[in-house]
C-alpha cells in the first residue's frame, strides 16, 4: 500500500509540475546550479535583473548538488523532478521504516502525498524544503530506533546543505552522551566538523557572501511576505533587532529545557527547527510549512486531529492560491499577497 501511495504521489507531482512553472526559488536553484555546472563561482556573479549575486544565500554544497543534477540534464525540470522524488522518498522513509503504528504511518504518507498545501507551496513552486523535512525525519528515525550514527549522518548532511542541522547539534550531542561511547561520539562529531569545513571551503572566502546576504535579510524593515513579524510592525512595535534577539533567545531556551529534562531530544530538534526561522522578517509560506510539518513527529495524532489538519491546510491552500493568482470575491476574504490577511491565513 505504501509503495502504491508513493508511486501515485510521484504521478500527482509530475502532473503539478507539467501544469505549473515553478517560482522564483526555482530560478535561483537553476541559475546558480548552472553557474557551478559550467565551472563558475556562484558567489562571484554580477548584479543584474532577475537572479543575481544577492540571491546566493545558500551553502556551497547545495549549489553543487543542483549542478550535479543539471549535469544529467540541463533543465529546470530536472530540479523539479528531483525535488519531487525527495518528497516521495520522505513518504517511503516514514511509511516503511518509522517505528510508529501502521495507521499513523499511513495517515502521514497520505498527507504528504496528496495534501493541497504541500502540493501547491512546495511542488507547484518547486521548493527545496522537502530536503529539510526528509533529513529531519532521518534524524528522528535514528533517535527512535536507537541508531545514533544515522541521526548524526542526517544532521551532518542537513547542516552541509542548509546550515539548519548545526542548530540542533547541542541536544543531539547531549542525547548521544547517553547512547554512544565517547569514542563513537567523538568520531561522529569529527565527521560533522570535517564535513562542515570541507563544504564551506568551496569558493572561500567568496562564499561568505551567503552570510552577508542573510544578515542583510535580517535587517529588512518592514517585514515582507507572510512573516509573523508583520503584526508588531503594523502596530509600530517592530525593530530588526527583534528577529536576532528572539531567535537566539528561543534557541537557548530550547537547549536549557532539554538539558533540564523538560523536553525529549526529538521535541528539542523540532522546536529548534521552528525557532531558528519563525521570527525572520522575510518568512514566506514555503518556510512556514517547513517549520510546521516536523510537529507531526511529536504531536499525538488521531483521526479527529488528522481531519482538522486536512481542513485547516485545505483552507490555507486556497488562501495561498488566491494570494498568488487572484480569486475574485475570495480576495476580500484571503487578501492579496503580503497583506496582513495573507500573513494571518498563512500562519
Amino acid at each position: 500500500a505504501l509503495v502504491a501511495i508513493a508511486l501515485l504521489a510521484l504521478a500527482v507531482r509530475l502532473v503539478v509540475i507539467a501544469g505549473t512553472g515553478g517560482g522564483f526559488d526555482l530560478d535561483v536553484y537553476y541559475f546558480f546550479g548552472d553557474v557551478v555546472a559550467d565551472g563558475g563561482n556562484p558567489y562571484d556573479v554580477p548584479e543584474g535583473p532577475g537572479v543575481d549575486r544577492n540571491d546566493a544565500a545558500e551553502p556551497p554544497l547545495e549549489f553543487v548538488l543542483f549542478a550535479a543534477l543539471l549535469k544529467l540534464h540541463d533543465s529546470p525540470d530536472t530540479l523539479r523532478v528531483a525535488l519531487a522524488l525527495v518528497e516521495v522518498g520522505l513518504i517511503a522513509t516514514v511509511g516503511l521504516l518509522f517505528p510508529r503504528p501502521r495507521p499513523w504511518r499511513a495517515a502521514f504518507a497520505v498527507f504528504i502525498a496528496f495534501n493541497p498545501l504541500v502540493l501547491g507551496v512546495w511542488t507547484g513552486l518547486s521548493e527545496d524544503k522537502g530536503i529539510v523535512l526528509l533529513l529531519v525525519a532521518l534524524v528522528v528515525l535514528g533517535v527512535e530506533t536507537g541508531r545514533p550514527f544515522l541521526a548524526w549522518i542526517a544532521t551532518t548532511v542537513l547542516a552541509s546543505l542548509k546550515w539548519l542541522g548545526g542548530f540542533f547539534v547541542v541536544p543531539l550531542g547531549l542525547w548521544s552522551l547517553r547512547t554512544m561511547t565517547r569514542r563513537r561520539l567523538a568520531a561522529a562529531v569529527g565527521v560533522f566538523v570535517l564535513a562542515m569545513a570541507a563544504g564551506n571551503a568551496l569558493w572561500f572566502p567568496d562564499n561568505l557572501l551567503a552570510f552577508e546576504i542573510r544578515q542583510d535579510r535580517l535587517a529588512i524593515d518592514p517585514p515582507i511576505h507572510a512573516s509573523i513579524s508583520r503584526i508588531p510592525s503594523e502596530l509600530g512595535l517592530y525593530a530588526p533587532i527583534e528577529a536576532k534577539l528572539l531567535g537566539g533567545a528561543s534557541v537557548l531556551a530550547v537547549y536549557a529545557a532539554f538539558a533540564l529534562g523538560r523536553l525529549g531530544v526529538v521535541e528539542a530538534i523540532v522546536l529548534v527547527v521552528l525557532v531558528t526561522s519563525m521570527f525572520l522578517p522575510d518568512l514566506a509560506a514555503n518556510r512556514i510549512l517547513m517549520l510546521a510539518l516536523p510537529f507531526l513527529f511529536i504531536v499525538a495524532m488521531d483521526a479527529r486531529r488528522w481531519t482538522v489538519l486536512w481542513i485547516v491546510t485545505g483552507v490555507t491552500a486556497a488562501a495561498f492560491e488566491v494570494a498568488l493568482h487572484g480569486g475574485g470575491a475570495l480576495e476580500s476574504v484571503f487578501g492579496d499577497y503580503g497583506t496582513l490577511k495573507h500573513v494571518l491565513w498563512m500562519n
Side-chain angles (χ1 to χ4, degrees):
L2 258 299
V3 171
I5 291 170
L7 291 175
L8 188 54
L10 178 59
V12 169
R13 278 158 173 76
L14 293 177
V15 171
V16 172
I17 289 170
T20 57
F24 181 74
D25 283 350
L26 177 63
D27 295 338
V28 171
Y29 307 152
Y30 179 72
F31 177 84
F32 290 109
D34 206 37
V35 169
V36 174
D38 290 337
N41 179 347
Y43 305 101
D44 187 25
V45 296
E47 295 186 28
V51 180
D52 65 15
R53 70 190 308 271
N54 294 311
D55 298 304
E58 303 298 337
L61 285 181
E62 181 163 42
F63 293 145
V64 171
L65 173 62
F66 293 144
L69 292 168
L70 293 175
K71 282 287 190 180
L72 299 175
H73 181 65
D74 190 1
S75 168
D77 287 338
T78 303
L79 303 182
R80 303 195 75 186
V81 172
L83 292 171
L85 288 171
V86 167
E87 294 173 22
V88 174
L90 169 66
I91 293 166
T93 297
V94 174
L96 298 174
L97 302 178
F98 257 52
R100 300 284 182 93
R102 185 176 295 176
W104 183 92
R105 289 183 284 130
F108 181 96
V110 170
F111 184 87
I112 298 297
F114 309 119
N115 184 267
L117 187 60
V118 175
L119 292 171
V121 175
W122 281 1
T123 308
L125 296 182
S126 295
E127 296 292 339
D128 64 354
K129 307 303 182 286
I131 298 174
V132 174
L133 189 57
L134 172 59
L135 291 169
V136 169
L138 288 172
V139 175
V140 175
L141 178 63
V143 170
E144 295 192 350
T145 58
R147 290 185 282 180
F149 266 123
L150 174 60
W152 274 100
I153 291 170
T155 299
T156 300
V157 175
L158 180 55
S160 299
L161 290 176
K162 300 297 291 182
W163 289 318
L164 180 60
F167 287 98
F168 50 76
V169 164
V170 171
L172 184 63
L174 293 175
W175 172 78
S176 299
L177 282 172
R178 302 192 297 267
T179 58
M180 303 174 73
T181 65
R182 297 298 174 91
R183 179 178 295 181
R184 287 173 176 255
L185 177 56
V189 174
V191 170
F192 176 88
V193 172
L194 287 174
M196 291 297 293
N200 287 284
L202 296 171
W203 301 293
F204 183 84
D206 291 343
N207 61 16
L208 296 177
L209 174 66
F211 295 98
E212 295 175 16
I213 293 170
R214 289 183 179 269
Q215 286 298 312
D216 290 342
R217 290 178 179 178
L218 281 173
I220 292 174
D221 188 16
I224 57 176
H225 299 312
S227 172
I228 198 72
S229 297
R230 284 286 310 281
I231 296 175
S233 178
E234 291 286 331
L235 297 173
L237 301 174
Y238 180 77
I241 191 66
E242 292 174 21
K244 297 179 182 179
L245 293 178
L246 289 172
S250 298
V251 170
L252 293 176
V254 173
Y255 291 168
F258 176 74
L260 293 171
R262 307 296 294 180
L263 294 172
V265 63
V266 174
E267 294 168 329
I269 289 169
V270 170
L271 287 170
V272 166
V273 171
L274 173 70
V275 300
T276 52
S277 297
M278 69 175 292
F279 303 109
L280 296 179
D282 61 340
L283 195 66
N286 56 5
R287 193 174 295 175
I288 293 174
L289 190 59
M290 182 193 80
L291 305 183
L293 289 181
F295 277 84
L296 291 174
F297 298 134
I298 63 173
V299 174
M301 299 296 290
D302 55 25
R304 180 184 63 84
R305 289 183 174 185
W306 281 113
T307 300
V308 171
L309 185 60
W310 272 94
I311 293 171
V312 169
T313 51
V315 173
T316 306
F320 180 76
E321 292 301 321
V322 168
L324 220 58
H325 304 295
L330 289 176
E331 292 181 18
S332 62
V333 177
F334 294 128
D336 294 327
Y337 189 91
T339 62
L340 196 56
K341 284 185 178 179
H342 175 71
V343 171
L344 294 173
W345 281 111
M346 292 305 100
N347 284 279

